[in-house]
Amino acid sequence: MQAMKGNTGASRGAPAPAGRLPRGVRPARYAVSLKVDPDSGTFHGRVAIDVQVSERVTELVLHALELRIPRARVAGAELPADRIRLDRRAETVTLAPREPVKPGRVTVELEFDGELNRQMRGLYLSTAKHRGKVERYAFTHFEPTSARRMVPCFDEPALKAVFSLTVTAPAGLTVLSNQPARRRKVQGGWQTVTFEDSPVMSSYLLALAVARLAPKRRRVDGTPVAVWTRPEDLRQADFALDVAEASLKRLNRYFAIKYRLPKVDLVALPDFAAGAMENWGAIFFRDSALLADPRLSSARARRRVAEVVAHELVHQWFGNLVTMEWWDDLWLNEAFATWLAFKVLDDWKPAWKSWLDFETRKRRALMIDALRKTRPIIAPANTSDEIEAQFDALSYEKGGGTLRMVEAYLGETKFRKGIRAYMKRHQYANTVNGDLWRALEQASGVPVGKLASAWLTRPGYPLLTVGVASATERALTMTQRRFDAHGGAPEGVWPVPVVIRYRLKGEARSRAHRVLIEREKQEVRLPGSRELVWAYPNLEETGLYRLALAPALLAALRADWRGLAEVERGGLLNHLWARVRAGQLPIEKFLDTLFDMREERGRYLLEDAAAYLRRIETIVGDGERAAFGRAVDAFFGAHWRRLGWSGPRSEPDDAKLGRAAALAALAVAPTDGLAKEASTRLARYLKDPKSVEPALAGPLLEIGARLGDEKRFEEYRRRMGEATTPEQRDLLMTALADFRSPALARRVVDLSLTDQVRGQDIWKPLTRLLDNSGTQGEAWKCIRERWAEIREKAGPKGAIRVIEGMAALARREWLEEVRSFFADPDHQVESGERSLAQTLEAIELGIRLREAQAAGLAEWLRSSPGRT
């Protein structure tokens, strides 16, 4: 029904930016009563919202989606059904009272009901087996715009309010929310739990869990911390508690503001679309991101748990206590949590060398941002789909890399001082990126905003071409332009903070020099009095750019590569590899430099080399496969003989991870001896997972699959159902996709759509199939045939992951098939438009890589007998 006419001075509220609710009405407090019945898959509720009206309005507009709203009252007056208007497209409900609402405090009351969905968003249904029976649970996931799927609300981050929550649920289940329970009443098989009021917070942070859960607890800096999981998994909770304790203590110190809520719950969910969600005081995780078995979980799995736990705890300040004004500044939440989590872990476990893992993660952002279908970190986001698409490597890793670059330029002390002032000034409120830069400028005296703006508001990043103008004068020339994955030379100038590591003749130690490159071409003179030997213009890889070093400079670094830090050696190789992929450098130059470093024992280079060689395998011609296998053995054989299948009990994690990298590389073309030994050890592992070093389980299963038959496939499938840890389950699941038989590939797709594979995990075996050269064609055919089922089970996040996995389909005919398939609106995925465009571009680049570099690769393999 249209708004009433003739009410002079009244309106729907002040105009709002596109995609947002009308201004003029703000929530202050929600009182939500909810009955959740997982067995019937339904929920019913009532909400009373105290709102502050700043001008006369004829309508009140709230968010609501996939809800039925039979009754509503405004200021005590019941609304007839025709004055309650749901708009599915706008995701809103409009309430039109008979008389205009005057300025002041008003209560809006609504009744609503809905169904628990299986898309892992809003309030959703989750199932798990226990003692042969299927149990049904309910969980929430609201970020970014799904609180409206559980309760009508003002579902925008800036519209913060207090939440009072009362939940009725089956008496045999645990009910958790953001705050501790105030009281619990049980009657007739149902329990009613009333929680303490929340602090003022955004709607997307509200949380609810209704499940069979048990806690393991400890107290950290006076705050109760608990890991909640199904009772049978409690033995896997201790490591997450250790991480939480280490992180919480460090974050309390870093921010100089103690954690604000009366408890921290970390909850393992059987089904969860994201890795984790920072709900204030009740953080939700998929089980593989929280649980770690003390004997069976690998070093890599433990580090993943540590990173995710630390990331979500950072959010309790950056994101929850201080929240971005709107989703175009999502990076304020995610970039900071990404960067500071690694900083916390590096302080807690220096031996982990966590910044190496940060750099590996940052590379994905650099790959995406070199595409023509990239975006700025700060980009318009008005609809739910556009907002959802912001959750990508640019917001997380590129944003985190930008923060690390700024910190390196300002210095750690000044940077932290600015962050503390920012948090203190804006706690319980909302901010835009300019608020952060002002705080850092006041703390440092450096015009940070001007520098950072270019990195946040423009897509892409620079390629710095560096040469030596004069070794005796220690003069470098630096030229910048935008780096293009297609090998073009688009113009672009950024203010680039560069920290140069360099060595002078006769000096044992390298030096460091900071400079800001602000012009397209700039000369830099390095301090000192002696002749320059070499320079590497990205100390500790803190810069967010690519490097193209002049041949003489690269040769000098190759001759003294141990003078670089481990992360810089990895960075040097990755800059070369990026240029190979862009068609700017022959692959032979990259391989020469890689093999120069084959005596490097650090796990970082071993992991990188394994990844590069496995990627290169996809462009090796049939006639060069034997030579390629010899090249892999030439690089990794000696490392494998040194490391062997196991090490001493006191062996550091880096050795275990290096061993795993060596075996993963050799799995591409195992020698007869390795294949025989792997088969023997695989048989032991399948009977007793403790018989093999956990880090080796993945590559061992892959070798078994590459050489295996249908009988082994069935054994993997059966063992997957018996797995006792999330990591074991995931390794066996993905190993099913490593078999080379197209017929077995079809069975993997079929299996993915059964209860044996959870909706949260379906993308894992499917993307692995797409990356398997023996099964790609059949996998793509099967995925097309069953796409509707896959998309439904996976939900939008999982379906987008599958689309991204199609980047491996680097053939012209497949490119056209992918393009044609998704041109049909019936096959598209909400919020997946940019991911699809990037996937199509990545397929094109993969085709070009094969066409441009295959001949050079073949020649290198034939003409390098010393290496092969």
Side-chain angles (χ1 to χ4, degrees):
M1 188 175 194
Q2 295 297 314
M4 294 293 101
K5 296 182 179 180
N7 293 311
T8 304
S11 67
R12 299 185 76 211
R20 307 193 203 183
L21 297 175
R23 306 294 88 173
V25 180
R26 293 185 64 91
R29 187 176 189 276
Y30 294 84
V32 182
S33 296
L34 201 64
K35 183 174 183 179
V36 182
D37 185 1
D39 288 336
S40 69
T42 61
F43 62 94
H44 174 79
R46 297 185 304 276
V47 61
I49 312 172
D50 293 336
V51 301
Q52 186 67 38
V53 180
S54 60
E55 61 182 54
R56 285 165 58 91
V57 294
T58 57
E59 296 177 342
L60 292 96
V61 185
L62 295 77
H63 287 111
L65 183 61
E66 297 173 357
L67 297 175
R68 194 175 70 90
I69 303 176
R71 298 183 64 188
R73 295 197 300 175
V74 177
E78 189 89 16
L79 271 62
D82 63 354
R83 289 178 175 268
I84 305 171
R85 301 196 303 271
L86 287 162
D87 185 332
R88 173 68 179 81
R89 185 180 181 86
E91 303 182 359
T92 59
V93 59
T94 299
L95 308 179
R98 295 185 185 278
E99 298 295 330
V101 180
K102 298 178 181 179
R105 193 74 166 242
V106 176
T107 300
V108 179
E109 300 167 88
L110 303 99
E111 288 190 18
F112 56 92
D113 53 65
E115 296 181 358
L116 303 176
N117 69 76
R118 296 306 301 264
Q119 299 289 303
M120 295 172 285
R121 56 185 178 180
L123 179 58
Y124 65 91
L125 180 68
S126 175
T127 58
K129 286 187 177 180
H130 179 61
R131 295 177 180 172
K133 295 182 179 180
V134 175
E135 298 180 332
R136 297 167 69 89
Y137 311 140
F139 300 107
T140 57
H141 181 53
F142 290 161
E143 190 180 36
T145 61
S146 284
R148 64 193 68 176
R149 296 176 190 269
M150 186 186 84
V151 57
C153 59
F154 296 83
D155 200 11
E156 296 180 6
L159 299 179
K160 291 188 171 186
V162 172
F163 288 83
S164 174
L165 182 63
T166 297
V167 179
T168 299
L173 301 177
T174 297
V175 182
L176 299 174
S177 187
N178 307 79
Q179 291 282 69
R182 183 189 307 159
R183 60 177 175 272
R184 178 175 180 265
K185 180 181 178 181
V186 179
Q187 185 176 3
W190 293 87
Q191 59 178 319
T192 298
V193 181
T194 300
F195 294 94
E196 299 287 350
D197 285 1
S198 77
V200 172
M201 68 182 192
S202 303
S203 54
Y204 76 88
L205 296 172
L206 184 63
L208 176 63
V210 179
R212 184 174 60 87
L213 298 168
K216 184 166 279 191
R217 296 184 169 99
R218 70 178 64 165
R219 188 172 289 270
V220 179
D221 277 359
T223 300
V225 179
V227 170
W228 292 81
T229 185
R230 291 185 295 168
E232 56 268 31
D233 294 329
L234 267 182
R235 73 184 190 284
Q236 300 180 57
D238 290 292
F239 182 70
L241 278 174
D242 292 342
V243 179
E245 179 174 355
S247 300
L248 203 59
K249 288 179 176 178
R250 285 165 174 79
L251 293 170
N252 281 335
R253 291 198 301 268
Y254 186 86
F255 290 114
I257 296 175
K258 193 173 181 183
Y259 175 76
R260 292 301 201 198
L261 268 63
K263 54 97 173 173
V264 181
D265 289 334
L266 294 81
V267 189
L269 278 58
D271 294 293
F272 200 62
M277 174 59 208
E278 65 266 21
N279 313 306
W280 210 352
I283 308 171
F284 289 176
F285 299 78
R286 65 170 52 205
D287 54 4
S288 60
L290 186 65
L291 304 179
D293 186 280
R295 295 190 64 186
L296 294 175
S297 294
S298 68
R300 179 59 61 201
R302 290 196 304 273
R303 290 181 187 206
R304 173 61 178 158
V305 167
E307 180 207 327
V308 178
V309 170
H311 180 107
E312 303 308 323
L313 286 171
V314 174
H315 273 313
Q316 306 304 294
W317 285 265
F318 235 101
N320 298 4
L321 185 61
V322 179
T323 313
M324 77 267 142
E325 179 82 15
W326 184 248
W327 298 106
D328 54 358
D329 266 328
L330 172 68
W331 79 277
L332 279 172
N333 283 16
E334 299 301 348
F336 207 95
T338 299
W339 167 78
L340 187 51
F342 281 98
K343 194 173 184 71
V344 164
L345 295 180
D346 189 58
D347 186 67
W348 179 45
K349 296 280 189 182
W352 282 7
K353 304 176 185 176
S354 293
W355 287 117
L356 299 179
D357 298 312
F358 177 87
E359 288 305 314
T360 300
R361 289 268 301 276
K362 190 176 79 176
R363 291 172 187 172
R364 173 161 173 75
L366 292 174
M367 285 178 60
I368 292 173
D369 209 29
L371 300 176
R372 292 170 183 172
K373 295 295 184 180
T374 187
R375 67 170 179 87
I377 293 176
I378 299 175
N382 299 320
T383 67
S384 290
D385 287 354
E386 290 170 347
I387 292 166
E388 187 72 50
Q390 299 285 92
F391 289 78
D392 62 6
L394 302 177
S395 289
Y396 287 69
E397 281 80 21
K398 185 184 179 185
T402 301
L403 288 172
R404 189 171 190 226
M405 183 169 62
V406 172
E407 187 209 32
Y409 186 64
L410 297 183
E412 186 176 12
T413 300
K414 291 179 180 178
F415 189 87
R416 184 177 60 245
K417 180 181 177 182
I419 294 301
R420 286 178 172 178
Y422 170 86
M423 296 300 299
K424 184 177 181 181
R425 185 176 302 133
H426 299 290
Q427 56 187 314
Y428 299 108
N430 297 84
T431 61
V432 296
N433 69 86
D435 296 315
L436 176 62
W437 305 134
R438 276 189 291 275
L440 290 173
E441 286 174 355
Q442 290 169 4
S444 67
V446 176
V448 182
K450 180 181 177 181
L451 184 153
S453 176
W455 295 90
L456 298 174
T457 60
R458 291 168 52 188
Y461 55 88
L463 169 71
L464 294 185
T465 301
V466 184
V468 179
S470 170
T472 56
E473 297 295 328
R474 299 163 307 285
L476 301 177
T477 57
M478 293 192 183
T479 303
Q480 63 165 304
R481 59 179 171 83
R482 182 174 171 179
F483 181 71
D484 178 20
H486 297 263
E491 293 183 358
V493 176
W494 283 258
V496 189
V498 177
V499 187
I500 305 167
R501 184 190 297 278
Y502 64 102
R503 174 165 291 170
L504 301 182
K505 192 172 183 178
E507 294 186 353
R509 292 187 177 184
S510 61
R511 301 187 181 200
H513 178 64
R514 285 176 168 79
V515 63
L516 186 65
I517 305 299
E518 298 181 276
R519 299 188 299 275
E520 182 179 356
K521 187 172 183 179
Q522 193 166 325
E523 184 173 292
V524 177
R525 290 183 179 270
L526 301 171
S529 57
R530 300 185 178 188
E531 183 178 339
L532 179 68
V533 178
W534 53 254
Y536 184 72
N538 201 352
L539 183 83
E540 298 294 335
E541 292 300 303
T542 56
L544 199 69
Y545 46 81
R546 288 294 184 194
L547 287 175
L549 303 178
L553 190 51
L554 178 60
L557 286 166
R558 285 175 59 184
D560 188 23
W561 56 267
R562 292 186 187 277
L564 297 176
E566 185 176 7
V567 68
E568 294 161 0
R569 298 196 288 270
L572 173 63
L573 282 169
N574 194 249
H575 295 307
L576 294 173
W577 178 244
R579 295 180 62 212
V580 168
R581 289 175 59 90
Q584 298 176 354
L585 186 77
I587 196 169
E588 308 95 294
K589 298 290 186 183
F590 167 78
L591 287 167
D592 286 342
T593 306
L594 175 66
F595 273 75
D596 280 349
M597 298 185 186
R598 63 179 169 176
E599 294 181 3
E600 166 70 55
R601 294 190 173 194
R603 60 96 178 171
Y604 187 54
L605 183 69
L606 294 181
E607 289 176 336
D608 277 358
Y612 294 135
L613 291 173
R614 288 173 68 95
R615 179 67 183 90
I616 290 170
E617 187 224 0
T618 65
I619 62 173
V620 173
D622 292 340
E624 289 79 41
R625 291 206 167 273
F628 180 73
R630 292 193 296 273
V632 173
D633 188 66
F635 193 103
F636 281 101
H639 289 294
W640 180 248
R641 290 186 289 274
R642 170 176 59 85
L643 292 164
W645 285 94
S646 61
R649 187 178 296 273
S650 61
E651 183 180 56
D653 280 356
D654 261 25
K656 297 174 183 176
L657 294 170
R659 178 182 295 112
L663 187 58
L666 294 168
V668 171
T671 62
D672 291 343
L674 179 62
K676 183 178 179 180
E677 180 65 18
S679 181
T680 300
R681 290 180 181 269
L682 176 63
R684 289 184 209 155
Y685 172 80
L686 292 172
K687 291 179 181 178
D688 178 16
K690 294 190 293 294
S691 66
V692 169
E693 156 58 43
L696 295 183
L700 182 62
L701 286 165
E702 182 186 357
I703 293 174
R706 280 177 171 258
L707 304 176
D709 55 13
E710 185 176 0
K711 181 180 178 181
R712 182 168 287 170
F713 180 93
E714 280 301 316
E715 186 170 14
Y716 279 20
R717 185 193 62 77
R718 180 170 57 84
R719 295 292 182 183
M720 183 182 78
E722 299 169 355
T724 59
T725 72
E727 184 184 21
Q728 280 184 331
R729 177 198 68 214
D730 288 355
L731 289 174
L732 285 158
M733 183 194 313
T734 53
L736 287 170
D738 288 327
F739 286 81
R740 310 292 285 178
S741 162
L744 293 179
R746 182 168 287 273
R747 290 185 58 185
V748 173
V749 176
D750 293 341
L751 180 71
S752 297
L753 291 165
T754 70
D755 290 341
Q756 287 188 267
V757 176
R758 295 189 171 279
Q760 68 171 13
D761 296 323
I762 186 173
W763 61 271
K764 297 176 182 178
L766 296 184
T767 55
R768 188 86 158 209
L769 281 177
L770 290 166
D771 199 38
N772 181 339
S773 61
T775 61
Q776 285 177 306
E778 187 68 16
W780 168 227
K781 179 181 177 182
C782 295
I783 288 170
R784 277 181 293 170
E785 291 171 356
R786 308 198 68 178
W787 179 246
E789 298 165 83
I790 291 169
R791 183 178 57 184
E792 175 68 20
K793 180 172 180 177
K797 287 182 184 292
I800 288 171
R801 290 286 190 96
V802 178
I803 290 173
E804 291 170 346
M806 295 173 192
L809 299 175
R811 292 187 186 176
R812 293 285 175 192
E813 62 270 27
W814 289 339
L815 172 61
E816 295 311 314
E817 288 173 1
V818 174
R819 195 191 312 277
S820 175
F821 184 78
F822 287 105
D824 185 342
D826 290 341
H827 297 153
Q828 293 167 7
V829 177
E830 56 189 270
S831 73
E833 182 179 355
R834 186 186 298 122
S835 292
L836 173 60
Q838 291 172 347
T839 295
L840 292 169
E841 190 175 348
I843 295 174
E844 177 68 40
L845 289 169
I847 294 168
R848 286 184 52 202
L849 176 67
R850 182 193 304 273
E851 294 173 348
Q853 303 286 6
L857 173 61
E859 178 61 27
W860 187 88
L861 289 171
R862 286 192 296 268
S863 63
S864 302
R867 295 186 176 114
T868 60

